[in-house]
Amino acid sequence: KKAHKKMALKYHPDKNQGNETAAKKFMEIQESYQALSDPKVREAFDAMCQAKVQREAKVQEMDKKRKSEVETLEARERAAAKRKSGSADDGYKSAVNNYEAELIRMRERNKKFMQEVEAKRREENERQANSLRSAVEGKIDNVQRKKDAHLELSRTMKVKWAKKGGVDTAVLIRIFGVFGEIDRAVAGKRSGMVVYKGNAAASAAFHAIRQASVTEAVDAGVCVC
């Protein structure tokens, strides 16, 4: 009612004399008010509005369905065009690509595994070689030490004398130095040792002392142990 009164006052013929548009609008407002005031007319109006809403909803639904059908049809046409051009992916191409990718990954894994096995094999071989080398070198060193010890023993003369303190290192060097170059000599209270640099000198000194052919050795009482 408030809206009707406001609109009626705005387009009333008394306020718009000579204005046919306003007079026509005023008549429409009056008719609308009368229609809405009558129960049967109002019911028919509401039914008409509801029918209009339902019709618009149905049209929208049909438009939506029609649009979906159009999109589906267009998608089918695009797929058909791809198949025709040989670029369609019907699942087989993807399966092939996936299979090839898996093959590549498998080969990479196998390659890495074989590299690791080879590295371990080389490491084990190197370890065994080092162990064998160490054992051989140790055996060679042991043999060499025994050989050196034997050689040194063959160049060494152990001597003794009866008088305590009667012979010192200088005397030993003087007595035995005539047979060859001495590596070292040691004199104790009643015994000593002379090491030659060569076997021949040691052998000559040994036989000379045993035969008592060295006067100074005889005088000092030096003999071979």
Side-chain angles (χ1 to χ4, degrees):
K1 291 182 179 181
K2 187 176 180 179
H4 166 260
K5 185 177 180 180
K6 183 179 179 180
M7 295 293 290
L9 290 174
K10 181 178 179 181
Y11 295 101
H12 198 279
D14 292 342
K15 292 184 176 182
N16 300 277
Q17 294 181 3
N19 189 341
E20 294 182 1
T21 302
K24 186 178 180 180
K25 189 71 174 177
F26 179 77
M27 291 299 296
E28 291 176 354
I29 292 170
Q30 290 299 105
E31 288 178 0
S32 297
Y33 179 72
Q34 290 176 0
L36 293 175
S37 298
D38 188 293
K40 291 185 178 181
V41 176
R42 176 63 179 266
E43 183 179 353
F45 176 78
D46 290 341
M48 181 190 67
C49 291
Q50 183 66 26
K52 182 179 179 182
V53 171
Q54 292 176 354
R55 181 177 179 277
E56 290 177 352
K58 188 174 182 180
V59 170
Q60 290 179 357
E61 184 178 356
M62 291 177 64
D63 289 343
K64 185 177 180 181
K65 185 177 180 180
R66 189 180 298 109
K67 182 179 180 181
S68 177
E69 291 175 351
V70 170
E71 291 176 350
T72 301
L73 181 60
E74 290 176 348
R76 289 177 180 176
E77 291 176 350
R78 287 194 297 269
K82 287 183 178 180
R83 284 194 295 271
K84 187 176 181 180
S85 62
S87 62
D89 183 7
D90 56 357
Y92 174 74
K93 186 176 180 181
S94 296
V96 170
N97 292 337
N98 184 62
Y99 171 71
E100 292 176 350
E102 289 298 327
L103 279 180
I104 292 173
R105 281 192 288 270
M106 182 189 70
R107 288 166 183 165
E108 289 297 326
R109 286 196 301 270
N110 292 342
K111 182 180 178 181
K112 184 178 180 181
F113 174 76
M114 293 305 298
Q115 288 175 346
E116 291 176 353
V117 170
E118 180 64 19
K120 289 181 179 179
R121 186 188 65 80
R122 288 197 300 268
E123 184 179 351
E124 180 63 20
N125 290 343
E126 186 175 354
R127 186 190 65 77
Q128 292 180 358
N130 291 336
S131 178
L132 180 61
R133 189 182 302 110
S134 298
V136 171
E137 290 176 351
K139 187 174 182 179
I140 292 175
D141 291 343
N142 188 38
V143 171
Q144 187 62 40
R145 282 194 297 271
K146 289 182 178 180
K147 183 177 180 180
D148 293 343
H150 177 72
L151 290 175
E152 184 170 348
L153 184 62
S154 66
R155 295 184 290 108
T156 301
M157 290 184 58
K158 293 181 179 181
V159 296
K160 61 180 180 178
W161 48 89
K163 187 177 180 181
K164 184 178 181 179
V167 178
D168 58 14
T169 302
V171 174
L172 288 178
I173 293 174
R174 188 170 61 250
I175 292 173
F176 292 95
V178 297
F179 299 101
E181 187 176 0
I182 295 174
D183 184 29
R184 63 184 182 278
V186 179
K189 293 181 179 181
R190 291 184 178 179
S191 62
M193 180 180 66
V194 178
V195 181
Y196 286 95
K197 290 188 176 181
N199 293 340
S203 178
F206 177 80
H207 290 294
I209 298 300
R210 289 291 297 271
Q211 294 173 4
S213 59
V214 181
T215 304
E216 188 175 0
V218 174
D219 293 343
V222 176
C223 62
V224 179
C225 296

